[in-house]
Structures are given as structure tokens and as C-alpha cells.
Amino acid sequence: MDPDSDPDSRPNTDANKKEPARHFGFVEAYSPPEMAAKVRDVGVAKGRMPLVPLLCLGLLAGAFISFGAMLFTLTMTGNELGFGPGRLLGGLAFSLGLVLVIVGGAELFTGNNLVAMAWADGKVGTASLLRNWVLVYCANFAGAVATALMVHLSGILSLDGGGVGRTALAIAQSKQSLGFVEAFTRGVLANALVCLAVWLCTSTSRTSGKIMAIIFPISAFVALGFEHSIANMYFLAVAWFDQPQSVSLAGVWANLLPVTLGNIVGGSVFVALIYWLIYLRPGGSAD
């Protein structure tokens, strides 16, 4: 075995002691207090990221989430497994998007709501927090819409005798039909699970562990019908490109506004600030 491929066989040097880790069998795991410190430190780096890398990585994240949304749409087309099992399979397919974001590296607005932990700890200012959120949100939007346009031009929506296009249209129309409170609440629940998936990813440095940490929370939020603002940018845009009369700007705004606000609350308050209170605040349990 190549010693460089096995973390347990590397020489016991200071370079290998940068982060404490515990090994339970084959799984490398960090404790929740260590995870909180890692999320905070990543938030500091995100708050300081230069403009060009931030925007480029934001574009990639919009495209990556759109890939997951594409696969979800295809999976749900002609699905005869039954309501629950079919949606669970669709959620598994959608997990591709966050796997690409986390493992491939990209800046996703909903995941970046965790920067609120660094903000609460005084390591990131309000201006830096808002700069990250606004720029990444806009870049995610551009990436999602551009991907939706390419999907439209590629003819993928005509697969299964146009069935994929009909599924895409049904998804968009269902999102436009949500009321403000319903969309907001679904947004809260969706990003609580998305940010928990990102949080769980910090428990391991192994790619396999990160993928497993992503699959269950993301499959759950999709199967349960919760709302993710960046995914909705793709879903609404691709339906509009295919059938412009089916999606109105008022409908897009009526969905994205409450869902985005809900995503912020779900990620920054119910995950980032709660864990900050537990582990990082002065006098918290990690002290």
C-alpha cells in the first residue's frame, strides 16, 4: 500500500497534526465543537474572497445545482414507483448538485448562509457578510439561468416524447402556485437541511464521507417538497424558455422572494446561529 494513500500510515509530523481527528474504524470524524470552528474559519475565508473567484465559483454553483435539478426532472418523468418512493429517488438524484458544489468546489448562496457563524463570532463584518450573500446569489442566478438556456437549446426537454418538458412545466407551475407563508416555511425547512448537510461534511476530510453526509439531508428536503431558491431559479427559467407563457415574472418574484428569505432564516438562524450559541459563544459548551 502506498503510505501517502493511508492517513494512518503517514509519518507523525507537525504537518499532519494541523487538525485533530478521531478514527472510528475506517471513518475519520471531527467532534461538533471542532466542526463549529471549521465552519467559522471557512466563513472568514469566504468573507474575504476576492471578487473574480467569488463570482466564478458562484456561477459554477448555479450550474451545479441545475445539474441536480435536471436529473431530478428526468427521474420524476414517467416515474411509477409510487408517490413516496418516487420522490425519494428524485431526491437522491438531486443530491448530485450539492455533491458537485462541495467536492468540486463552488460558492452556493444557501450553503453560504453558514457564514453567519463567523459573523456572530465577530470574525466577519456585516458588510462582508452581505457582500458575499448578494454577489453569490446573483452569480448563482446567472449560472442557473444560463444552464436552463443550454438545456432548452439542447433539446433534452423533448425526451420521452416531450415528457421531460411536461414534467419541467408541472414543477414550475407548482412553485408559482405556492402562497407566501407556505413558500417561506418550505424555504426555512429546505435550507436547514442543506446547511446541516454542509455542516455534516465538515465532520470528515474524506470524499466518500462528504458524499454520504450530503445524500440523506438533501434527499429528505427534496422528497418532502421543501423549497430551495437556487434550484428554483433553474426550474422556473427552464420552463420559461420552453413555454414563455407558462411562467410570469410576477410568479417568479412571488416564489423567489419568500423562498430566499426562508432559506436565509433556515440556514443562518436555525443552523449557524444555533451552533454558534452552543459551541462558540463566550461561555458556551466548547469553552
Side-chain angles (χ1 to χ4, degrees):
M1 177 183 292
D2 182 356
D4 289 336
S5 67
D6 184 0
D8 294 328
S9 66
R10 294 172 186 167
N12 187 21
T13 64
D14 290 339
N16 294 326
K17 296 180 181 178
K18 289 182 179 179
E19 294 180 291
R22 296 165 180 81
H23 293 77
F24 302 98
F26 63 90
V27 179
E28 180 185 61
Y30 296 90
S31 69
E34 292 167 346
M35 292 159 63
K38 290 177 69 177
V39 171
R40 176 197 59 201
D41 293 344
V42 168
V44 173
K46 289 178 181 290
R48 297 172 178 172
M49 187 175 293
L51 179 63
V52 172
L54 188 67
L55 292 178
C56 290
L57 290 170
L59 286 168
L60 286 178
F64 291 166
I65 294 299
S66 297
F67 287 140
M70 277 185 241
L71 189 57
F72 169 81
T73 304
L74 180 69
T75 301
M76 298 304 294
T77 301
N79 193 311
E80 299 179 354
L81 294 177
F83 180 77
R87 291 183 68 87
L88 182 59
L89 181 61
L92 180 64
F94 185 87
S95 299
L96 167 68
L98 194 61
V99 170
L100 292 173
V101 168
I102 296 296
V103 179
E107 292 292 306
L108 180 65
F109 167 76
T110 47
N112 282 13
N113 289 160
L114 287 173
V115 177
M117 183 175 284
W119 172 83
D121 211 43
K123 302 294 192 297
V124 170
T126 301
S128 295
L129 174 74
L130 294 178
R131 170 185 178 271
N132 179 275
W133 285 359
V134 170
L135 291 177
V136 169
Y137 188 87
C138 292
N140 288 171
F141 181 83
V145 172
T147 305
L149 176 59
M150 287 189 283
V151 168
H152 169 67
L153 295 175
S154 72
I156 290 174
L157 297 178
S158 65
L159 294 177
D160 191 35
V164 175
R166 290 190 293 273
T167 301
L169 176 61
I171 292 170
Q173 290 178 333
S174 70
K175 293 184 180 300
Q176 289 187 106
S177 69
L178 294 174
F180 188 97
V181 173
E182 193 174 16
F184 173 83
T185 307
R186 292 189 186 196
V188 172
L189 294 169
N191 209 32
L193 284 169
V194 170
C195 285
L196 283 171
V198 177
W199 169 268
L200 292 175
C201 285
T202 65
S203 70
T204 179
S205 61
R206 298 174 184 266
T207 299
S208 58
K210 292 180 186 295
I211 293 173
M212 290 301 296
I214 289 168
I215 286 175
F216 290 102
I218 301 306
S219 295
F221 109 68
V222 175
L224 291 166
F226 300 153
E227 294 287 308
H228 186 270
S229 57
I230 311 307
N232 287 4
M233 294 171 183
Y234 167 81
F235 284 128
L236 294 167
V238 77
W240 184 85
F241 284 127
D242 190 52
Q243 299 189 44
Q245 73 281 2
S246 67
V247 179
S248 66
L249 290 178
V252 171
W253 175 254
N255 178 268
L256 289 183
L257 177 61
V259 170
T260 300
L261 294 175
N263 287 168
I264 292 172
V265 172
S268 62
V269 177
F270 290 165
V271 180
L273 295 184
I274 292 296
Y275 276 126
W276 176 83
L277 283 170
I278 296 169
Y279 295 119
L280 297 180
R281 69 177 175 86
S285 65
D287 289 349

